Amino acid sequence: MPLLYSIGKVTVGKVLMTGWRPHVEGIENIPQTGGAIFAGNHLSVADELLLGAAVPRHLAFWAKSDYFTGTGVKGFLNRKLMEGLGAIRVERAGGRAALTAFDAAIPALRGGELVAVYPEGTRSPDGRLYRGRTGVARLAVAAGVPIIPVGVLGTDKVQPIGRLVPKLQRGVITVKFGKPIDTVGRSDDRTALRELTDQVMGEIQRLTGQEYVPRYAPKREE
């Protein structure tokens, strides 16, 4: 576990778990060793904080490339923060540039790391669960690791879109971990990846009870 992440677990993580007291279910579904992808719904910026606090192992999140390439003191601090947390760099440009995130994540997963992915691609604008993008399935099949469905509830009440600091409300948040979905031997053709992605989204919907929308979530304006 990266040093800065370890420090965060015993400081920020402890504050989150004791201050907000999230209800955590299915902790036994988290593997003690080996790589896996945590695929969850996305309601709030607080999702990542609570998920990182609830998972006992290091969990790598994705971070836009801007945090790794900034200049000056702020750029230096952002870069060191991302590196210290073990974040995976994502290029904002599409095409081959965006695939560099996969290039970094695959060896990490094969080496036994845990990686968090939000298949919807963005935060839900209205609390509903939207169609998942197949990147989560493509990454899992390529790395040969299981996908663990995650359902998080209540973070949109604690920190709705637009709020910078989460409200201190105890017992409002629930984090549920579903049973791992095995991907070994799965095909990587388009149809198979769509089927696997839909299976993952179905499990997330089962955990959260959210209304499912069979289309991609609209992109948020920067």
Side-chain angles (χ1 to χ4, degrees), residues 6-93:
S6 299
I7 294 173
K9 286 287 289 183
V10 298
T11 54
V12 178
K14 288 290 185 181
V15 169
L16 289 170
M17 297 302 287
T18 57
W20 277 261
R21 292 185 182 176
H23 177 67
V24 181
E25 299 179 12
I27 198 77
E28 69 278 3
N29 292 320
I30 299 176
Q32 296 184 4
T33 60
I37 294 174
F38 286 70
N41 62 320
H42 201 10
L43 297 174
S44 166
V45 172
D47 294 337
E48 297 182 355
L49 295 174
L50 269 299
L51 188 55
V55 175
R57 296 172 56 190
H58 172 246
L59 184 59
F61 291 92
W62 310 81
K64 59 184 180 181
S65 60
D66 305 47
Y67 291 128
F68 293 87
T69 59
T71 58
V73 175
K74 182 179 180 181
F76 174 80
L77 293 175
N78 280 336
R79 184 165 59 255
K80 291 303 179 182
L81 176 62
M82 294 300 104
E83 292 173 353
L85 293 174
I88 298 173
R89 176 173 171 170
V90 179
E91 297 291 342
R92 296 178 67 83

Coordinates of all heavy atoms in Angstrom, one line a residue, residues 6-93:
S6 N -1.7 4.9 3.0 CA -1.7 4.3 4.3 C -2.0 5.3 5.4 O -2.7 5.1 6.3 CB -0.3 3.6 4.6 OG -0.1 2.5 3.7
I7 N -1.3 6.5 5.2 CA -1.5 7.6 6.2 C -3.0 8.0 6.1 O -3.6 8.3 7.1 CB -0.6 8.7 5.9 CG1 0.9 8.3 6.1 CG2 -0.9 10.0 6.7 CD1 1.9 9.3 5.7
G8 N -3.5 8.1 4.8 CA -4.9 8.5 4.7 C -5.9 7.6 5.3 O -6.9 8.0 5.8
K9 N -5.6 6.3 5.2 CA -6.4 5.2 5.8 C -6.6 5.4 7.3 O -7.7 5.3 7.9 CB -5.9 3.8 5.6 CG -6.0 3.4 4.1 CD -7.5 3.0 3.8 CE -7.9 1.8 4.5 NZ -9.3 1.4 4.1
V10 N -5.5 5.8 8.0 CA -5.6 5.9 9.5 C -5.9 7.3 9.9 O -6.1 7.6 11.1 CB -4.2 5.5 10.1 CG1 -4.0 4.0 9.8 CG2 -3.1 6.3 9.7
T11 N -6.1 8.2 9.0 CA -6.5 9.6 9.3 C -7.8 9.9 8.7 O -8.9 9.8 9.4 CB -5.4 10.6 8.9 OG1 -5.2 10.4 7.4 CG2 -4.1 10.4 9.6
V12 N -7.9 10.3 7.5 CA -9.1 10.6 6.8 C -10.1 9.4 6.8 O -11.3 9.6 7.1 CB -8.8 11.0 5.3 CG1 -10.2 11.3 4.6 CG2 -7.9 12.2 5.3
G13 N -9.6 8.2 6.6 CA -10.4 7.0 6.6 C -11.1 6.8 7.9 O -12.3 6.5 8.0
K14 N -10.3 7.0 9.0 CA -10.9 6.8 10.3 C -12.0 7.9 10.6 O -13.0 7.6 11.2 CB -9.8 6.9 11.4 CG -8.9 5.7 11.4 CD -9.6 4.4 11.9 CE -8.6 3.3 12.1 NZ -9.3 2.0 12.6
V15 N -11.7 9.1 10.2 CA -12.7 10.2 10.4 C -14.0 9.9 9.7 O -15.1 10.1 10.2 CB -12.1 11.5 9.9 CG1 -13.1 12.6 9.9 CG2 -10.9 11.9 10.8
L16 N -13.9 9.4 8.4 CA -15.1 9.1 7.6 C -15.9 8.0 8.3 O -17.1 8.0 8.4 CB -14.7 8.7 6.2 CG -14.1 9.9 5.3 CD1 -13.5 9.3 4.0 CD2 -15.2 10.8 5.0
M17 N -15.2 6.9 8.7 CA -15.9 5.8 9.3 C -16.5 6.1 10.6 O -17.6 5.5 10.9 CB -14.9 4.6 9.4 CG -14.4 4.1 8.0 SD -15.7 3.6 6.8 CE -16.2 2.0 7.6
T18 N -15.9 6.9 11.4 CA -16.4 7.2 12.7 C -17.3 8.4 12.7 O -18.3 8.5 13.4 CB -15.3 7.5 13.7 OG1 -14.4 8.6 13.3 CG2 -14.4 6.3 14.0
G19 N -17.1 9.3 11.8 CA -17.9 10.5 11.7 C -19.2 10.3 11.0 O -20.2 10.8 11.5
W20 N -19.1 9.6 9.9 CA -20.3 9.4 9.0 C -21.0 8.0 9.3 O -22.1 7.8 9.0 CB -20.0 9.5 7.6 CG -20.0 11.0 7.1 CD1 -21.0 11.6 6.5 CD2 -18.9 11.9 7.3 NE1 -20.6 12.9 6.2 CE2 -19.4 13.1 6.7 CE3 -17.7 11.9 7.9 CZ2 -18.6 14.3 6.7 CZ3 -16.9 13.0 7.9 CH2 -17.3 14.2 7.3
R21 N -20.2 7.1 9.9 CA -20.7 5.8 10.3 C -21.5 5.1 9.2 O -22.7 4.8 9.3 CB -21.6 5.9 11.5 CG -20.8 6.3 12.8 CD -21.6 6.2 14.0 NE -20.9 6.6 15.2 CZ -21.4 6.7 16.4 NH1 -22.7 6.5 16.6 NH2 -20.6 7.1 17.4
P22 N -20.9 4.9 8.0 CA -21.6 4.2 6.9 C -21.9 2.8 7.3 O -21.1 2.1 8.0 CB -20.6 4.3 5.8 CG -19.3 4.4 6.4 CD -19.5 5.2 7.7
H23 N -23.0 2.3 6.8 CA -23.4 0.9 7.0 C -22.7 0.1 5.9 O -23.0 0.3 4.7 CB -24.9 0.7 7.0 CG -25.3 -0.7 7.1 ND1 -25.1 -1.5 8.3 CD2 -25.9 -1.6 6.3 CE1 -25.6 -2.7 8.1 NE2 -26.1 -2.8 6.9
V24 N -21.9 -0.9 6.2 CA -21.1 -1.7 5.2 C -21.6 -3.1 5.2 O -21.7 -3.8 6.2 CB -19.6 -1.6 5.5 CG1 -18.9 -2.4 4.4 CG2 -19.1 -0.2 5.5
E25 N -22.0 -3.6 4.0 CA -22.5 -5.0 3.8 C -21.6 -5.7 2.8 O -21.1 -5.1 1.9 CB -23.9 -5.0 3.4 CG -24.9 -4.4 4.3 CD -26.3 -4.4 3.7 OE1 -26.5 -5.1 2.7 OE2 -27.2 -3.7 4.3
G26 N -21.4 -7.0 3.0 CA -20.7 -7.8 2.0 C -19.2 -7.7 2.1 O -18.5 -8.0 1.1
I27 N -18.7 -7.3 3.2 CA -17.2 -7.1 3.3 C -16.5 -8.4 3.1 O -15.3 -8.4 2.6 CB -16.8 -6.5 4.7 CG1 -15.4 -5.9 4.7 CG2 -17.0 -7.5 5.8 CD1 -15.3 -4.5 4.0
E28 N -17.2 -9.5 3.3 CA -16.5 -10.8 3.1 C -16.3 -11.1 1.6 O -15.6 -12.0 1.2 CB -17.4 -11.9 3.7 CG -18.8 -12.2 3.0 CD -19.9 -11.2 3.4 OE1 -19.6 -10.3 4.2 OE2 -21.0 -11.4 3.0
N29 N -16.9 -10.3 0.7 CA -16.8 -10.5 -0.7 C -15.5 -9.8 -1.3 O -15.2 -10.0 -2.4 CB -18.0 -10.0 -1.5 CG -19.2 -10.8 -1.2 OD1 -19.2 -12.0 -1.1 ND2 -20.4 -10.1 -1.0
I30 N -14.8 -9.1 -0.4 CA -13.6 -8.5 -0.8 C -12.4 -9.5 -0.7 O -12.2 -10.0 0.4 CB -13.3 -7.2 0.0 CG1 -14.4 -6.2 -0.1 CG2 -11.9 -6.6 -0.4 CD1 -14.2 -5.0 0.7
P31 N -11.7 -9.8 -1.8 CA -10.6 -10.8 -1.6 C -9.5 -10.2 -0.8 O -9.1 -9.1 -0.9 CB -10.2 -11.0 -3.1 CG -10.6 -9.7 -3.8 CD -11.9 -9.3 -3.1
Q32 N -8.9 -11.1 0.0 CA -7.8 -10.7 0.9 C -6.5 -10.5 0.1 O -5.6 -9.8 0.4 CB -7.6 -11.7 2.0 CG -8.8 -11.8 3.0 CD -8.5 -12.7 4.1 OE1 -7.4 -13.3 4.3 NE2 -9.5 -12.9 5.0
T33 N -6.4 -11.3 -1.0 CA -5.2 -11.2 -1.9 C -5.7 -11.2 -3.4 O -6.8 -11.6 -3.7 CB -4.2 -12.3 -1.7 OG1 -4.9 -13.6 -1.9 CG2 -3.7 -12.3 -0.2
G34 N -4.8 -10.8 -4.3 CA -5.1 -10.9 -5.7 C -5.8 -9.7 -6.2 O -6.4 -8.9 -5.5
G35 N -5.7 -9.5 -7.6 CA -6.3 -8.3 -8.2 C -7.8 -8.5 -8.4 O -8.4 -9.6 -8.5
A36 N -8.5 -7.3 -8.5 CA -10.0 -7.3 -8.7 C -10.4 -5.9 -9.1 O -9.7 -4.9 -8.7 CB -10.7 -7.8 -7.5
I37 N -11.5 -5.8 -9.8 CA -12.0 -4.5 -10.1 C -13.3 -4.3 -9.3 O -14.2 -5.1 -9.3 CB -12.4 -4.4 -11.6 CG1 -11.1 -4.5 -12.5 CG2 -13.1 -3.2 -12.0 CD1 -11.3 -4.6 -14.0
F38 N -13.4 -3.1 -8.7 CA -14.6 -2.7 -8.0 C -15.4 -1.8 -8.9 O -15.0 -0.7 -9.3 CB -14.3 -2.0 -6.7 CG -13.7 -2.9 -5.6 CD1 -12.5 -3.5 -5.7 CD2 -14.5 -3.1 -4.5 CE1 -12.0 -4.3 -4.7 CE2 -14.0 -4.0 -3.5 CZ -12.8 -4.5 -3.6
A39 N -16.6 -2.3 -9.3 CA -17.4 -1.6 -10.3 C -18.7 -1.1 -9.5 O -19.5 -1.9 -9.1 CB -17.8 -2.5 -11.4
G40 N -18.8 0.2 -9.4 CA -19.9 0.8 -8.6 C -20.7 1.8 -9.3 O -20.3 2.4 -10.4
N41 N -21.8 2.1 -8.7 CA -22.6 3.3 -9.1 C -22.0 4.5 -8.7 O -21.0 4.5 -7.9 CB -24.1 3.2 -8.6 CG -24.1 3.2 -7.1 OD1 -23.2 2.7 -6.4 ND2 -25.1 3.9 -6.5
H42 N -22.4 5.7 -9.3 CA -21.7 6.9 -9.0 C -22.7 8.0 -8.8 O -23.3 8.6 -9.7 CB -20.7 7.2 -10.1 CG -19.6 8.2 -9.8 ND1 -19.3 8.5 -8.5 CD2 -18.7 8.8 -10.6 CE1 -18.3 9.4 -8.5 NE2 -17.9 9.6 -9.8
L43 N -22.9 8.4 -7.5 CA -23.8 9.4 -7.1 C -23.2 10.8 -6.7 O -23.8 11.8 -6.8 CB -24.7 8.9 -6.0 CG -25.6 7.7 -6.3 CD1 -26.3 7.3 -5.0 CD2 -26.6 8.0 -7.3
S44 N -21.9 10.7 -6.2 CA -21.3 11.8 -5.6 C -19.8 11.7 -5.6 O -19.3 10.6 -5.7 CB -21.8 12.0 -4.2 OG -21.1 12.9 -3.4
V45 N -19.1 12.9 -5.4 CA -17.7 12.9 -5.2 C -17.3 12.1 -4.0 O -16.3 11.4 -3.9 CB -17.2 14.3 -5.1 CG1 -15.7 14.3 -4.7 CG2 -17.4 15.1 -6.4
A46 N -18.2 12.0 -3.0 CA -18.0 11.3 -1.8 C -17.9 9.8 -2.0 O -17.4 9.1 -1.1 CB -19.1 11.6 -0.8
D47 N -18.4 9.3 -3.1 CA -18.3 7.8 -3.3 C -16.9 7.3 -3.2 O -16.7 6.3 -2.6 CB -18.8 7.5 -4.8 CG -20.3 7.8 -4.9 OD1 -21.0 7.9 -3.9 OD2 -20.7 8.0 -6.1
E48 N -15.9 8.0 -3.8 CA -14.6 7.5 -3.8 C -14.0 7.5 -2.4 O -13.3 6.6 -2.0 CB -13.7 8.4 -4.7 CG -14.1 8.3 -6.2 CD -13.2 9.1 -7.1 OE1 -12.4 9.8 -6.6 OE2 -13.4 9.0 -8.3
L49 N -14.3 8.6 -1.6 CA -13.8 8.7 -0.2 C -14.4 7.6 0.6 O -13.6 6.9 1.4 CB -14.2 10.0 0.4 CG -13.6 11.3 -0.3 CD1 -14.2 12.5 0.3 CD2 -12.1 11.3 -0.1
L50 N -15.7 7.3 0.5 CA -16.3 6.3 1.4 C -15.9 4.9 0.9 O -15.6 4.0 1.7 CB -17.8 6.4 1.3 CG -18.4 7.3 2.4 CD1 -18.1 6.8 3.8 CD2 -18.0 8.7 2.3
L51 N -15.7 4.7 -0.4 CA -15.3 3.4 -0.9 C -13.9 3.1 -0.4 O -13.6 2.0 0.0 CB -15.4 3.3 -2.4 CG -15.2 2.0 -3.1 CD1 -16.1 0.9 -2.5 CD2 -15.4 2.1 -4.6
G52 N -13.0 4.1 -0.6 CA -11.6 3.9 -0.1 C -11.5 3.6 1.4 O -10.7 2.9 1.8
A53 N -12.4 4.3 2.1 CA -12.4 4.1 3.6 C -12.9 2.7 4.0 O -12.4 2.1 4.9 CB -13.2 5.2 4.3
A54 N -13.9 2.2 3.2 CA -14.5 0.9 3.6 C -13.7 -0.3 3.1 O -13.7 -1.4 3.8 CB -15.9 0.8 2.9
V55 N -12.9 -0.2 2.1 CA -12.1 -1.3 1.6 C -10.8 -1.4 2.4 O -10.0 -0.4 2.4 CB -11.8 -1.2 0.1 CG1 -10.9 -2.3 -0.4 CG2 -13.1 -1.2 -0.7
P56 N -10.5 -2.5 3.0 CA -9.3 -2.5 3.9 C -8.0 -2.5 3.1 O -6.9 -2.2 3.7 CB -9.5 -3.9 4.6 CG -10.4 -4.7 3.8 CD -11.3 -3.7 3.1
R57 N -8.0 -2.9 1.8 CA -6.8 -2.9 1.0 C -6.6 -1.6 0.2 O -7.6 -0.8 0.2 CB -6.8 -4.1 0.1 CG -6.7 -5.4 0.8 CD -7.0 -6.6 -0.2 NE -6.0 -6.5 -1.3 CZ -6.0 -7.2 -2.4 NH1 -7.0 -8.1 -2.6 NH2 -5.1 -7.1 -3.3
H58 N -5.5 -1.4 -0.4 CA -5.3 -0.2 -1.3 C -6.2 -0.4 -2.5 O -6.3 -1.4 -3.1 CB -3.8 -0.1 -1.7 CG -3.6 0.9 -2.8 ND1 -3.3 0.7 -4.1 CD2 -3.8 2.3 -2.7 CE1 -3.2 1.8 -4.8 NE2 -3.5 2.8 -4.0
L59 N -6.9 0.7 -2.8 CA -7.8 0.7 -3.9 C -7.4 1.9 -4.8 O -7.4 3.1 -4.4 CB -9.2 0.9 -3.4 CG -10.4 0.9 -4.5 CD1 -10.4 -0.4 -5.2 CD2 -11.7 1.1 -3.8
A60 N -7.0 1.6 -6.1 CA -6.5 2.6 -7.0 C -7.7 3.2 -7.7 O -8.5 2.5 -8.3 CB -5.5 2.0 -8.0
F61 N -7.7 4.5 -7.8 CA -8.8 5.3 -8.5 C -8.1 5.9 -9.7 O -6.9 6.0 -9.8 CB -9.4 6.3 -7.6 CG -10.3 5.8 -6.5 CD1 -9.7 5.5 -5.3 CD2 -11.6 5.5 -6.7 CE1 -10.5 5.0 -4.2 CE2 -12.4 5.0 -5.7 CZ -11.8 4.7 -4.5
W62 N -8.9 6.3 -10.7 CA -8.5 7.0 -11.9 C -8.4 8.5 -11.6 O -9.3 9.1 -11.0 CB -9.4 6.7 -13.0 CG -9.7 5.3 -13.2 CD1 -10.6 4.5 -12.5 CD2 -9.1 4.4 -14.1 NE1 -10.6 3.2 -12.9 CE2 -9.7 3.1 -13.9 CE3 -8.1 4.5 -15.1 CZ2 -9.3 2.0 -14.6 CZ3 -7.7 3.4 -15.8 CH2 -8.3 2.1 -15.6
A63 N -7.4 9.2 -12.2 CA -7.3 10.6 -12.0 C -6.9 11.2 -13.4 O -6.1 10.7 -14.1 CB -6.2 11.0 -11.0
K64 N -7.6 12.3 -13.8 CA -7.3 12.9 -15.1 C -5.8 13.4 -15.1 O -5.2 13.8 -14.1 CB -8.2 14.1 -15.3 CG -8.2 15.2 -14.3 CD -9.2 16.3 -14.6 CE -9.2 17.4 -13.6 NZ -10.2 18.4 -13.9
S65 N -5.3 13.3 -16.4 CA -3.9 13.6 -16.6 C -3.4 15.0 -16.1 O -2.2 15.2 -15.8 CB -3.5 13.4 -18.1 OG -4.3 14.3 -18.9
D66 N -4.4 15.9 -16.1 CA -4.0 17.3 -15.7 C -3.4 17.3 -14.3 O -2.5 18.1 -14.0 CB -5.3 18.1 -15.6 CG -6.1 18.1 -16.9 OD1 -6.3 17.0 -17.4 OD2 -6.5 19.2 -17.3
Y67 N -3.8 16.4 -13.4 CA -3.2 16.3 -12.1 C -1.7 15.9 -12.1 O -1.0 16.0 -11.1 CB -4.0 15.4 -11.2 CG -5.4 15.9 -10.8 CD1 -6.5 15.1 -11.0 CD2 -5.5 17.2 -10.3 CE1 -7.8 15.6 -10.7 CE2 -6.8 17.7 -9.9 CZ -7.9 16.9 -10.2 OH -9.1 17.3 -9.8
F68 N -1.3 15.2 -13.2 CA 0.1 14.7 -13.3 C 1.0 15.7 -14.1 O 2.2 15.5 -14.1 CB 0.1 13.3 -14.0 CG -0.6 12.3 -13.2 CD1 -2.0 12.1 -13.2 CD2 0.1 11.4 -12.3 CE1 -2.6 11.0 -12.5 CE2 -0.5 10.4 -11.6 CZ -1.8 10.2 -11.7
T69 N 0.4 16.6 -14.8 CA 1.2 17.4 -15.7 C 1.2 18.9 -15.4 O 1.8 19.7 -16.1 CB 0.7 17.3 -17.1 OG1 -0.7 17.7 -17.2 CG2 0.8 15.8 -17.6
G70 N 0.6 19.3 -14.3 CA 0.5 20.7 -13.9 C 1.9 21.3 -13.6 O 2.9 20.6 -13.3
T71 N 2.0 22.6 -13.7 CA 3.3 23.2 -13.4 C 3.3 24.1 -12.1 O 2.2 24.3 -11.6 CB 3.7 24.2 -14.6 OG1 2.6 25.1 -14.8 CG2 3.9 23.4 -15.9
G72 N 4.4 24.5 -11.7 CA 4.5 25.4 -10.5 C 4.3 24.5 -9.2 O 4.3 23.3 -9.3
V73 N 4.1 25.2 -8.1 CA 4.0 24.6 -6.8 C 2.7 23.7 -6.8 O 2.8 22.6 -6.3 CB 4.0 25.6 -5.7 CG1 3.7 24.9 -4.4 CG2 5.3 26.4 -5.7
K74 N 1.6 24.3 -7.3 CA 0.4 23.5 -7.3 C 0.5 22.2 -8.1 O 0.0 21.2 -7.7 CB -0.8 24.4 -7.8 CG -2.1 23.7 -7.8 CD -3.2 24.6 -8.3 CE -4.6 23.9 -8.2 NZ -5.7 24.8 -8.7
G75 N 1.1 22.4 -9.3 CA 1.3 21.2 -10.1 C 2.1 20.1 -9.5 O 1.8 18.9 -9.6
F76 N 3.2 20.6 -8.8 CA 4.1 19.6 -8.1 C 3.3 18.9 -7.0 O 3.5 17.7 -6.9 CB 5.3 20.4 -7.6 CG 6.2 19.6 -6.7 CD1 7.1 18.7 -7.3 CD2 6.1 19.6 -5.4 CE1 8.0 18.0 -6.5 CE2 6.9 18.9 -4.5 CZ 7.9 18.0 -5.1
L77 N 2.6 19.7 -6.2 CA 1.9 19.1 -5.1 C 0.8 18.1 -5.6 O 0.6 17.0 -5.0 CB 1.2 20.1 -4.3 CG 2.2 21.0 -3.5 CD1 1.5 22.1 -2.8 CD2 3.0 20.2 -2.5
N78 N 0.1 18.5 -6.7 CA -0.9 17.6 -7.2 C -0.3 16.3 -7.7 O -0.8 15.2 -7.5 CB -1.7 18.2 -8.4 CG -2.8 19.2 -7.9 OD1 -3.3 19.1 -6.8 ND2 -3.1 20.1 -8.7
R79 N 0.8 16.4 -8.4 CA 1.5 15.2 -9.0 C 2.0 14.3 -7.9 O 1.8 13.1 -7.9 CB 2.7 15.7 -9.8 CG 3.4 14.5 -10.5 CD 4.3 15.0 -11.6 NE 5.3 16.0 -11.1 CZ 5.3 17.3 -11.3 NH1 4.3 17.8 -11.9 NH2 6.3 18.1 -10.8
K80 N 2.5 14.8 -6.8 CA 3.0 14.0 -5.7 C 1.9 13.4 -4.9 O 2.0 12.3 -4.5 CB 3.9 14.9 -4.7 CG 5.2 15.3 -5.3 CD 6.0 14.1 -5.7 CE 7.4 14.5 -6.4 NZ 8.1 13.3 -6.8
L81 N 0.7 14.1 -4.9 CA -0.4 13.6 -4.2 C -1.0 12.4 -5.0 O -1.3 11.3 -4.4 CB -1.5 14.6 -4.1 CG -2.9 14.2 -3.5 CD1 -2.7 13.7 -2.1 CD2 -3.9 15.3 -3.6
M82 N -1.1 12.5 -6.3 CA -1.6 11.4 -7.1 C -0.7 10.2 -7.1 O -1.1 9.1 -7.0 CB -1.8 11.9 -8.6 CG -2.9 12.9 -8.8 SD -4.5 12.4 -8.2 CE -4.7 13.2 -6.7
E83 N 0.6 10.5 -7.1 CA 1.6 9.4 -7.1 C 1.6 8.7 -5.7 O 1.6 7.5 -5.6 CB 3.0 9.9 -7.4 CG 3.2 10.4 -8.8 CD 4.5 11.1 -9.1 OE1 5.2 11.3 -8.1 OE2 4.8 11.4 -10.2
G84 N 1.5 9.5 -4.7 CA 1.4 9.0 -3.3 C 0.2 8.1 -3.0 O 0.2 7.2 -2.2
L85 N -0.9 8.4 -3.7 CA -2.1 7.7 -3.5 C -2.2 6.5 -4.4 O -3.2 5.7 -4.3 CB -3.4 8.6 -3.8 CG -3.6 9.8 -2.7 CD1 -4.7 10.7 -3.2 CD2 -3.8 9.2 -1.3
G86 N -1.3 6.4 -5.4 CA -1.3 5.3 -6.3 C -2.4 5.4 -7.3 O -3.0 4.4 -7.8
A87 N -2.7 6.6 -7.7 CA -3.8 6.9 -8.7 C -3.3 6.5 -10.1 O -2.1 6.4 -10.4 CB -4.2 8.3 -8.7
I88 N -4.3 6.1 -11.0 CA -4.0 5.7 -12.4 C -4.3 6.9 -13.3 O -5.4 7.4 -13.2 CB -4.8 4.5 -12.8 CG1 -4.5 3.3 -11.9 CG2 -4.6 4.1 -14.2 CD1 -5.3 2.1 -12.1
R89 N -3.4 7.3 -14.1 CA -3.5 8.4 -14.9 C -4.4 8.2 -16.1 O -4.3 7.2 -16.8 CB -2.1 8.9 -15.4 CG -2.1 10.0 -16.4 CD -0.7 10.4 -16.7 NE -0.5 11.4 -17.8 CZ 0.6 12.0 -18.0 NH1 1.7 11.8 -17.3 NH2 0.6 12.9 -19.1
V90 N -5.3 9.1 -16.4 CA -6.3 9.0 -17.5 C -6.1 10.2 -18.4 O -6.2 11.3 -17.9 CB -7.7 8.9 -17.0 CG1 -8.6 8.8 -18.2 CG2 -7.9 7.7 -16.1
E91 N -5.8 10.0 -19.7 CA -5.7 11.1 -20.6 C -7.1 11.5 -21.0 O -8.0 10.7 -21.2 CB -5.0 10.6 -21.9 CG -3.6 10.2 -21.7 CD -2.7 11.4 -21.3 OE1 -3.1 12.5 -21.5 OE2 -1.6 11.2 -20.7
R92 N -7.4 12.8 -21.0 CA -8.7 13.4 -21.3 C -9.0 13.3 -22.8 O -10.1 13.2 -23.2 CB -8.7 14.9 -20.9 CG -8.6 15.1 -19.4 CD -8.6 16.5 -19.0 NE -9.9 17.1 -19.3 CZ -10.9 17.1 -18.4 NH1 -10.8 16.4 -17.3 NH2 -12.0 17.7 -18.7
A93 N -7.9 13.2 -23.7 CA -8.2 13.0 -25.1 C -8.7 11.6 -25.3 O -8.4 10.7 -24.5 CB -6.9 13.2 -25.9

